[in-house]
Short mmCIF file of all heavy atoms in Angstrom, two decimals:
data_model
loop_
_atom_site.label_atom_id
_atom_site.label_comp_id
_atom_site.label_asym_id
_atom_site.label_seq_id
_atom_site.Cartn_x
_atom_site.Cartn_y
_atom_site.Cartn_z
N ARG A 251 28.57 85.92 148.91
CA ARG A 251 28.09 85.45 147.66
C ARG A 251 29.12 84.22 147.27
O ARG A 251 28.67 83.25 146.66
CB ARG A 251 28.08 86.50 146.62
CG ARG A 251 27.69 86.14 145.18
CD ARG A 251 26.18 85.68 145.17
NE ARG A 251 25.31 86.66 145.61
CZ ARG A 251 24.78 87.71 144.89
NH1 ARG A 251 25.08 87.79 143.62
NH2 ARG A 251 23.89 88.57 145.37
N ILE A 252 30.37 84.52 147.41
CA ILE A 252 31.36 83.42 146.98
C ILE A 252 31.16 82.17 147.92
O ILE A 252 31.20 81.00 147.42
CB ILE A 252 32.84 83.96 147.22
CG1 ILE A 252 33.12 85.05 146.14
CG2 ILE A 252 33.82 82.80 147.07
CD1 ILE A 252 34.41 85.82 146.38
N ARG A 253 30.85 82.41 149.23
CA ARG A 253 30.62 81.23 150.05
C ARG A 253 29.34 80.42 149.62
O ARG A 253 29.37 79.18 149.49
CB ARG A 253 30.41 81.73 151.53
CG ARG A 253 31.72 81.98 152.18
CD ARG A 253 31.49 82.11 153.70
NE ARG A 253 30.72 83.29 154.05
CZ ARG A 253 31.21 84.47 154.23
NH1 ARG A 253 32.51 84.66 154.18
NH2 ARG A 253 30.48 85.52 154.58
N THR A 254 28.30 81.18 149.26
CA THR A 254 26.95 80.51 149.09
C THR A 254 26.81 80.11 147.64
O THR A 254 25.97 79.18 147.39
CB THR A 254 25.77 81.55 149.53
OG1 THR A 254 25.90 82.76 148.79
CG2 THR A 254 25.95 81.78 150.91
N ARG A 255 27.37 80.84 146.66
CA ARG A 255 27.11 80.54 145.30
C ARG A 255 28.25 79.91 144.53
O ARG A 255 28.03 79.30 143.51
CB ARG A 255 26.70 81.88 144.52
CG ARG A 255 25.93 81.60 143.29
CD ARG A 255 25.39 82.89 142.67
NE ARG A 255 24.24 83.42 143.34
CZ ARG A 255 23.52 84.45 143.00
NH1 ARG A 255 23.94 85.17 141.77
NH2 ARG A 255 22.54 84.86 143.62
N MET A 256 29.50 80.06 145.04
CA MET A 256 30.57 79.46 144.33
C MET A 256 31.37 78.48 145.24
O MET A 256 32.48 78.08 144.87
CB MET A 256 31.57 80.64 143.97
CG MET A 256 30.86 81.78 143.09
SD MET A 256 31.97 83.09 142.72
CE MET A 256 33.17 82.19 141.49
N GLY A 257 30.70 77.90 146.23
CA GLY A 257 31.37 76.83 146.98
C GLY A 257 32.58 77.33 147.73
O GLY A 257 33.49 76.54 148.11
N ASP A 258 32.65 78.65 148.06
CA ASP A 258 33.63 79.24 148.86
C ASP A 258 35.07 79.10 148.18
O ASP A 258 36.10 78.84 148.96
CB ASP A 258 33.80 78.66 150.25
CG ASP A 258 34.34 79.78 151.28
OD1 ASP A 258 34.35 80.96 150.97
OD2 ASP A 258 34.71 79.34 152.35
N ARG A 259 35.08 79.01 146.84
CA ARG A 259 36.26 78.83 146.14
C ARG A 259 36.23 79.68 144.85
O ARG A 259 35.46 79.38 143.95
CB ARG A 259 36.58 77.37 145.81
CG ARG A 259 37.90 77.19 145.07
CD ARG A 259 38.18 75.65 145.09
NE ARG A 259 39.21 75.27 144.08
CZ ARG A 259 40.58 75.45 144.38
NH1 ARG A 259 40.98 76.07 145.38
NH2 ARG A 259 41.41 75.03 143.42
N ALA A 260 37.00 80.69 144.80
CA ALA A 260 36.96 81.55 143.61
C ALA A 260 38.46 81.78 143.08
O ALA A 260 39.33 81.98 143.77
CB ALA A 260 36.35 82.86 144.02
N SER A 261 38.49 81.97 141.78
CA SER A 261 39.78 82.17 141.13
C SER A 261 39.91 83.67 140.68
O SER A 261 38.86 84.33 140.44
CB SER A 261 39.93 81.34 139.83
OG SER A 261 39.03 81.67 138.89
N ARG A 262 41.09 84.19 140.58
CA ARG A 262 41.38 85.40 139.97
C ARG A 262 42.46 85.08 138.97
O ARG A 262 43.61 84.74 139.24
CB ARG A 262 41.87 86.40 141.04
CG ARG A 262 42.42 87.81 140.39
CD ARG A 262 41.41 88.45 139.45
NE ARG A 262 40.12 88.87 139.93
CZ ARG A 262 39.85 90.13 140.36
NH1 ARG A 262 40.78 91.05 140.39
NH2 ARG A 262 38.66 90.41 140.76
N ARG A 263 42.08 85.18 137.69
CA ARG A 263 42.99 84.81 136.61
C ARG A 263 43.65 86.06 136.04
O ARG A 263 43.04 87.09 135.92
CB ARG A 263 42.16 84.06 135.48
CG ARG A 263 43.01 83.48 134.40
CD ARG A 263 42.18 82.60 133.46
NE ARG A 263 41.60 81.38 134.09
CZ ARG A 263 42.32 80.33 134.49
NH1 ARG A 263 43.62 80.24 134.14
NH2 ARG A 263 41.80 79.26 135.05
N TYR A 264 44.98 85.93 135.79
CA TYR A 264 45.66 87.07 135.24
C TYR A 264 46.53 86.56 133.95
O TYR A 264 46.87 85.40 133.78
CB TYR A 264 46.79 87.56 136.24
CG TYR A 264 46.22 87.94 137.63
CD1 TYR A 264 46.26 86.96 138.62
CD2 TYR A 264 45.83 89.23 137.86
CE1 TYR A 264 45.73 87.36 139.90
CE2 TYR A 264 45.45 89.63 139.12
CZ TYR A 264 45.46 88.62 140.16
OH TYR A 264 44.95 88.94 141.44
N LEU A 265 46.85 87.49 133.22
CA LEU A 265 48.02 87.48 132.31
C LEU A 265 48.98 88.41 132.90
O LEU A 265 48.79 89.69 132.84
CB LEU A 265 47.63 87.85 130.83
CG LEU A 265 46.84 86.84 130.03
CD1 LEU A 265 46.48 87.33 128.67
CD2 LEU A 265 47.64 85.52 129.90
N SER A 266 50.14 87.82 133.42
CA SER A 266 51.25 88.73 133.78
C SER A 266 51.89 89.13 132.43
O SER A 266 51.92 88.32 131.57
CB SER A 266 52.23 87.94 134.73
OG SER A 266 51.51 87.60 135.95
N VAL A 267 52.47 90.27 132.44
CA VAL A 267 53.10 90.81 131.25
C VAL A 267 54.45 91.38 131.44
O VAL A 267 54.61 92.12 132.54
CB VAL A 267 52.08 91.82 130.54
CG1 VAL A 267 51.89 93.06 131.40
CG2 VAL A 267 52.67 92.31 129.15
N LEU A 268 55.30 91.28 130.50
CA LEU A 268 56.59 91.97 130.49
C LEU A 268 56.69 92.79 129.27
O LEU A 268 56.47 92.25 128.14
CB LEU A 268 57.76 90.88 130.56
CG LEU A 268 59.18 91.39 130.31
CD1 LEU A 268 59.63 92.23 131.47
CD2 LEU A 268 60.09 90.22 130.16
#
Side-chain angles (χ1 to χ4, degrees):
R251 181 67 59 83
I252 292 170
R253 282 192 294 269
T254 58
R255 197 175 285 186
M256 303 180 72
D258 208 22
R259 181 168 166 79
S261 66
R262 174 52 61 98
R263 188 173 295 281
Y264 306 91
L265 285 176
S266 299
V267 61
L268 169 68

